[in-house]
């Protein structure tokens, strides 16, 4: 439990329940699927489509590129980067909507 009595998992779920965060996650998922399809269809092994989802989930996904060199690590970097960014986006969105009225639940 955290200091305010809410678990970390509950805080993450709360941040990811925001509409703006979910739209961002959906956009990142669509970009990742698009990049995988384009790369699979490109027989020349020169596709740069994987760069687009990495840039959409930067900066966290760029840090994860230090993982071992494997095709699956690109997917892991994009997914984790998207989740971390979505949590930040959800937190910011709620804080901006709240404005000067503090949220009693946080």
């Amino acid at each position: 439990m955290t200091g305010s009595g809410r678990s970390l998992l509950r805080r993450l779920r709360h941040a990811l329940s925001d509409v703006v965060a979910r739209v961002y996650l959906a956009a990142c998922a669509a970009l990742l699927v698009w990049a995988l399809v384009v790369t699979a269809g490109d027989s020349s092994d020169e596709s740069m489509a994987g760069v687009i989802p990495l840039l959409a989930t930067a900066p966290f996904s760029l840090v994860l590129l230090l993982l071992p060199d494997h095709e699956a690590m690109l997917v892991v970097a994009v997914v984790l980067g998207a989740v971390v960014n979505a949590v930040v986006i959800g937190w910011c969105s709620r804080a901006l909507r709240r404005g000067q009225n503090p949220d009693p639940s946080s």
Side-chain angles (χ1 to χ4, degrees):
M1 296 295 247
T2 58
S4 65
R6 292 176 60 187
S7 69
L8 178 62
L9 186 59
R10 186 169 175 174
R11 285 180 184 264
L12 290 175
R13 193 173 344 135
H14 186 66
L16 290 174
S17 68
D18 189 70
V19 174
V20 180
R22 288 187 179 188
V23 168
Y24 173 76
L25 282 175
C28 289
L31 286 173
L32 181 60
V33 168
W34 170 79
L36 292 174
V37 168
V38 168
T39 302
D42 187 17
S43 61
S44 67
D45 290 335
E46 296 177 0
S47 177
M48 294 293 291
V51 173
I52 302 300
L54 278 174
L55 291 176
T57 58
F60 192 74
S61 63
L62 298 177
V63 172
L64 289 177
L65 281 179
L66 298 174
L67 294 172
D69 191 23
H70 191 270
E71 294 84 21
M73 290 304 121
L74 172 72
V75 175
V76 170
V78 169
V79 169
L80 289 178
V83 169
V84 169
N85 289 346
V87 168
V88 172
I89 289 169
W91 177 77
C92 290
S93 175
R94 287 183 187 276
L96 287 172
R97 268 190 264 123
R98 190 171 52 232
Q100 296 298 325
N101 303 329
D103 186 9
S105 66
S106 64

